């Protein structure tokens, strides 16, 4: 948790004065593994899962390994910080949220869209940071745990 305030400060810094680098999603083959997913809807919809990424130091940009626990509620809610479960080789923050339901089906009969975002300090250059965000369709499976992968579709860096 010690990393979150640093990254929050960086994220709100004036991006216009820095160099913004966008990376086409197809150029990065990284994907993350969600394990122990459970979700359901009562008054609001809620989720609970772990997400793991295996780092690769020869990727461009180099990516760190991470493992985090995410839980939260509300389709269409803001990103909520996940809790890091392992030390990582760089400072990073993981967040998650349920995207708004655009399906007229009510209650738990529709599929949740979970979005996960990772922001981290470049493994070699302290002044550069990267933001990877991806989403996947999951299930309101209550307590029957499920696993799936999330592939980042939006990637940018700030130097
Ligand atoms: C997440 O991982 C931790 C540590 O490996 C484990 O104790 C916990 O049960 C896992 N939680 C879920 C929701 O899978
Ligand atoms: C690490 O990234 C490089 C370059 O993208 C790739 O060739 C290599 O297969 C990756 N290694 C692993 C273990 O995924
Ligand atoms: C919303 O609609 C788009 C396009 O049909 C679909 O790809 C997406 O999964 C839908 N999202 C939800 C939450 O149903
Ligand atoms: C969902 O259900 C509630 C109460 O059952 C109803 O008021 C609402 O109009 C429904 N929404 C949609 C999009 O069907
Ligand atoms: C809405 O969700 C239901 C249940 O997942 C699915 O069968 C249906 O195709 C979805 N409709 C749209 C327009 O996405
Ligand atoms: C990644 O960038 C998006 C869009 O600027 C932002 O909403 C999100 O909070 C960032 N992710 C993290 C983990 O800070
Ligand atoms: C999900 O992954 C975990 C860890 O790899 C494994 O122990 C578990 O059996 C998997 N569960 C399912 C439903 O595939």
């Amino acid at each position: 948790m010690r990393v979150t305030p640093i990254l929050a400060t960086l994220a709100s810094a004036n991006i216009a004065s820095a160099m913004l680098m966008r990376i086409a999603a197809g150029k990065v083959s990284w994907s993350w593994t969600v394990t122990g997913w459970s979700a359901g809807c009562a008054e609001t919809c809620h989720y609970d899962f772990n997400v793991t990424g295996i780092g690769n130091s020869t990727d461009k940009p180099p990516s760190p390994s991470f493992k985090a626990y995410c839980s939260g509620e509300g389709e269409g809610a803001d990103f909520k910080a996940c809790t890091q479960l392992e030390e990582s080789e760089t400072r990073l923050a993981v967040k998650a949220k349920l995207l708004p339901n655009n399906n007229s089906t009510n209650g738990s009969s529709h599929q949740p869209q979970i979005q996960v975002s990772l922001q981290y300090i470049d493994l070699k250059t302290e002044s550069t940071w990267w933001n990877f965000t991806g989403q996947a369709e999951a299930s309101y499976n209550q307590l029957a745990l499920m696993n799936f992968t999330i592939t980042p579709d939006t990637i940018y860096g700030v130097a």
Side-chain angles (χ1 to χ4, degrees):
M1 293 319 295
R2 69 196 155 80
V3 302
T4 309
I6 301 161
L7 285 167
T9 309
L10 281 170
S12 59
N14 186 2
I15 290 181
S17 69
M19 186 171 67
L20 187 65
M21 300 168 284
R22 288 193 183 281
I23 296 185
K27 293 212 164 177
V28 174
S29 58
W30 208 20
S31 66
W32 306 327
T33 304
V34 171
T35 54
W37 166 274
S38 71
C41 299
E43 273 168 33
T44 64
C45 298
H46 54 90
Y47 61 87
D48 198 90
F49 63 95
N50 282 346
V51 58
T52 309
I54 307 294
N56 183 336
S57 60
T58 58
D59 249 344
K60 289 186 175 65
S63 51
S65 291
F66 68 92
K67 179 169 185 178
Y69 167 74
C70 307
S71 74
E73 60 178 32
E75 292 182 324
D78 289 340
F79 270 126
K80 184 173 174 224
C82 304
T83 305
Q84 279 172 246
L85 297 177
E86 283 173 5
E87 282 291 317
S88 181
E89 59 260 56
T90 188
R91 297 199 300 272
L92 58 82
V94 185
K95 297 178 182 174
K97 67 179 175 188
L98 287 172
L99 294 176
N101 170 26
N102 63 2
N103 187 321
S104 60
T105 308
N106 250 328
S108 61
S109 58
H110 65 280
Q111 304 293 101
Q113 309 284 325
I114 184 74
Q115 191 170 56
V116 173
S117 182
L118 167 73
Q119 195 159 298
Y120 67 93
I121 305 285
D122 187 85
L123 271 64
K124 298 190 180 91
T125 312
E126 278 256 326
S127 56
T128 297
W129 51 269
W130 300 98
N131 178 303
F132 284 62
T133 302
Q135 67 190 67
E137 186 174 282
S139 169
Y140 285 121
N141 57 345
Q142 301 299 341
L143 290 173
L145 301 180
M146 84 190 240
N147 298 339
F148 54 90
T149 61
I150 293 182
T151 303
D153 54 31
T154 308
I155 304 164
Y156 70 90
V158 175

